Amino acid sequence: MSIYTEMSDNQQFACRVIADHARSTAFAIADGILPGNEGRSYVLRKIMRRAIYHGREHLGLKDLFFYKVCDFVVGEMRTAYPELETQREFIGKMVRVEEERFGATMTVGLGKLDELFDKLSFIERAQIGLAAAWKNIDFAALQEKINAEVTEDERAASPAVSFAATSLEMLVENDELKQEAYEQARAGLEPFFRDIAKLYDTYGTPRDLIRVFLEEKKIVFNEEEFNERFDAALREIQQQGDTGKTERKSQISPVYASLIEKSGANEFRGYDAVQIADAKIVAILDGETQIDELAEGKQGSVVLDQTPFYAEAGGQVGDTGLFVSGGPNKTDTTNFKVTVADTYAPVAGLIIHKVTVDEGTIKVGDTVTATVDVQKRDATRRNHTATHLVHAALREVLGTHVKQAGSVVAPNYLRFDFTHYQPVTAAEIAEVEDLVNRHILENHPVNTNIMAIEEAMHGGAMALFGEKYGADVRVLSVGDGIFSKELCGGTHVRATGDIGSFKVTSDEAIASGVRRIRAITGTDAFERFREDERLIDASLGALKTQRDNLPGAIGKLLEELKRTRREMDELKLKIATGPSGKASPNGDEARDILGVKVLGKIVEGLDANGMRQLSDTLLSRLRSGVVVLGRTYDGKVGIIVRVSDDLTGSVKAGNVIKEIAPIVGGRGGGKADMAEGGGTEPGKLSDAIEAGYGVIERMLK
């Protein structure tokens, strides 16, 4: 008999959940999806967490286990799906990271759930429990049971029993009274569900786990009702902020559909040309309204029958440039000049130019000479081809698990998001830079070919997950395509040497398992190098040192600065703890309040940490007493209250701060022996310190 057949129904169900979700997890991560908080990434995270929860809750698997199950999936499926074996290490690392994170989440979430339940009063718990069970209560049967088991003598002897029996009879006989009782019982459900939904939304505490917890507390909801109330509460709290919102893609505007139907797709000729002398205006838009003409000084959108302007797509920004009147077949005397600020494609086949008419008036039917801003186009092309080289270099340096997760290709920079499970080291960044620059220096030709998507994929071209491709695709290869070969519809340089140079400017994490690199190329990279030289020369001059000694000189300066700050802090502390006015350093400036020494004073020049150190010193001098210190900084107030251990039974620092902090326009809190607070009215700090004596006196009485 197998172990599985000996398991309970719940345990068998848990095994099936884990097996099914492990398959989904392994394939999703191999396809470039990583657990996150939005879209498909959030779906994956929920799948993984459900499996982990079932393993922990029903199978007693307290240690990490899910990554091992996913690895088993890879082993079983690798023959049919070789990409799983390629990504085996990455799948294991990502699942393990998520499993470790969720283990901590469950611990924190259960703790918060305990705190939430402990705050409920007995009446609140009773109301929630009654409302949960209400629909399943058979009041008539309950009344019969009471009548059968409770004698008249027992009713007479116990007012409580009599009241309960009489109340139950009234509920059975009066539907209106029953409904009123139900409404009172369920009054606490909405705020309660909002609170537990916040636990799910903030800490990821699974709803199944929440239901199990409540059942252990004798609060048993019907599953369907629980889910309905939970979902309603979750929608409510998510609508109050950005968390959980999903943006819906806009519907295709009727005007765009009409233009496509009337004029057909406009032709993009920008791969081979940056100027077209005989383009014709087929439509002008003011917002989403078609108009016949656009006058001087006005802004609008223009559609041409053919254009050299690239519409924003695939991360590459849209082209800018000019329209001017004329063309080889110009027959009218119309003259105009139009600035193109951006180019975009709201639907496939429709390229729209956002324009401002600088001179003259443009009309539908006019012929224009359309000229792309060549300088910006060339800079954008350099960055776009460099993006492909970066992708290939990252895969070679970090591993084949790296996949593109987004990009921006602009004239002055490139941004590349990619999947990776840990920070990229300085050595790895340097290796990526070296690899990209080596391929730039080798001046490989950049080739493009149009082919069927099946042929492209069979030939090793990389495609982006989530992108939509037609039957025929444009394949971009660097050199022979061994280093870099991807599907791409953007504009590129003719050879890698045109990029000039490449420099990474930053690397950062933007989500779990996703990092972002920013980089520059061409003249922007050269300007960066020149700016670095200026900064280094200025630093050498200020520190009066040689170039090879610069790091040591900076380190020495920092050590001297730390030592000076430490000496200043010590001096400030000595001044603050010294005598003030007629007081002596032995704590004689403390007042005697009903036999307790209370020291209140304002100190300047100390930060929050210095205030804490000072309060420690003064309290130790008093041995038994209370210290109230205040300081002002940047137009604000900081207050700290300290109470010696022998007095915390009668004087609590947290209560003192709560009474005096409002005087300076703020608030505070803390424990019995130490509390801190602050405010925004420095002019009233003296009043607050003085009020502290009175507060402490009241507590001592």
Side-chain angles (χ1 to χ4, degrees), residues 314-624:
Q316 180 175 331
V317 300
D319 278 333
T320 62
L322 289 174
F323 295 162
V324 295
S325 53
N329 302 317
K330 181 181 176 184
T331 57
D332 56 48
T333 58
T334 303
N335 290 298
F336 53 77
K337 179 182 176 184
V338 179
T339 298
V340 179
D342 193 12
T343 312
Y344 66 100
V347 294
L350 183 64
I351 298 174
I352 294 181
H353 311 78
K354 295 180 69 173
V355 304
T356 300
V357 180
D358 300 319
E359 299 174 11
T361 299
I362 58 173
K363 301 177 182 178
V364 174
D366 283 347
T367 299
V368 306
T369 297
T371 306
V372 173
D373 185 325
V374 177
Q375 186 175 358
K376 287 186 176 180
R377 164 71 79 82
D378 286 345
T380 303
R381 286 195 287 204
R382 287 193 292 269
N383 285 331
H384 202 160
T385 306
T387 300
H388 286 240
L389 295 178
V390 168
H391 192 184
L394 286 168
R395 286 174 62 84
E396 186 163 319
V397 173
L398 303 180
T400 56
H401 64 272
V402 169
K403 286 185 171 59
Q404 182 173 340
S407 68
V408 172
V409 180
N412 56 339
Y413 75 99
L414 68 89
R415 192 188 79 197
F416 187 77
D417 301 342
F418 60 98
T419 56
H420 190 52
Y421 47 83
Q422 62 189 24
V424 183
T425 66
E428 289 169 336
I429 289 290
E431 192 174 351
V432 168
E433 287 179 334
D434 290 344
L435 196 54
V436 172
N437 280 305
R438 191 185 81 198
H439 282 273
I440 290 172
L441 291 173
E442 290 173 353
N443 200 25
H444 298 294
V446 177
N447 305 307
T448 56
N449 296 287
I450 306 298
M451 61 181 69
I453 189 168
E454 293 84 0
E455 181 185 356
M457 300 301 289
H458 184 71
M462 291 189 63
L464 299 184
F465 183 88
E467 290 289 328
K468 294 181 179 179
Y469 299 102
D472 292 330
V473 293
R474 193 164 182 263
V475 180
L476 184 106
S477 304
V478 175
D480 54 13
I482 294 176
F483 182 66
S484 174
K485 187 175 186 180
E486 297 186 36
L487 307 187
C488 184
T491 59
H492 290 269
V493 297
R494 293 161 298 182
T496 57
D498 295 345
I499 298 172
S501 57
F502 170 83
K503 173 64 181 169
V504 173
T505 57
S506 69
D507 162 60
E508 59 182 338
I510 60 170
S512 175
V514 181
R515 302 197 66 80
R516 171 173 292 169
I517 272 184
R518 295 177 187 268
I520 48 180
T521 63
T523 54
D524 291 304
F526 178 74
E527 284 295 331
R528 174 62 176 257
F529 298 144
R530 188 154 53 189
E531 179 63 22
D532 288 347
E533 286 297 313
R534 283 197 293 265
L535 291 173
I536 291 172
D537 288 342
S539 301
L540 292 174
L543 295 173
K544 295 181 174 58
T545 188
Q546 299 298 316
R547 191 181 186 92
D548 56 348
N549 292 329
L550 183 57
I554 294 175
K556 183 179 179 182
L557 183 64
L558 289 174
E559 285 299 322
E560 291 177 356
L561 182 60
K562 288 179 183 178
R563 185 172 64 253
T564 302
R565 284 178 174 171
R566 187 166 54 250
E567 291 171 352
M568 287 177 61
D569 289 341
E570 290 172 355
L571 182 59
K572 288 177 182 178
L573 197 57
K574 286 180 181 178
I575 293 172
T577 55
S580 175
K582 297 180 181 180
S584 72
N586 297 319
D588 292 337
E589 60 181 306
R591 296 186 192 178
D592 186 290
I593 306 294
L594 300 180
V596 172
K597 292 180 181 179
V598 180
L599 172 59
K601 64 185 297 184
I602 298 173
V603 294
E604 301 296 345
L606 294 180
D607 59 13
N609 188 53
M611 285 273 284
R612 296 185 192 103
Q613 292 183 39
L614 177 59
S615 69
D616 282 339
T617 302
L618 295 177
L619 190 62
S620 65
R621 285 184 180 180
L622 293 178
R623 296 182 181 173
S624 174

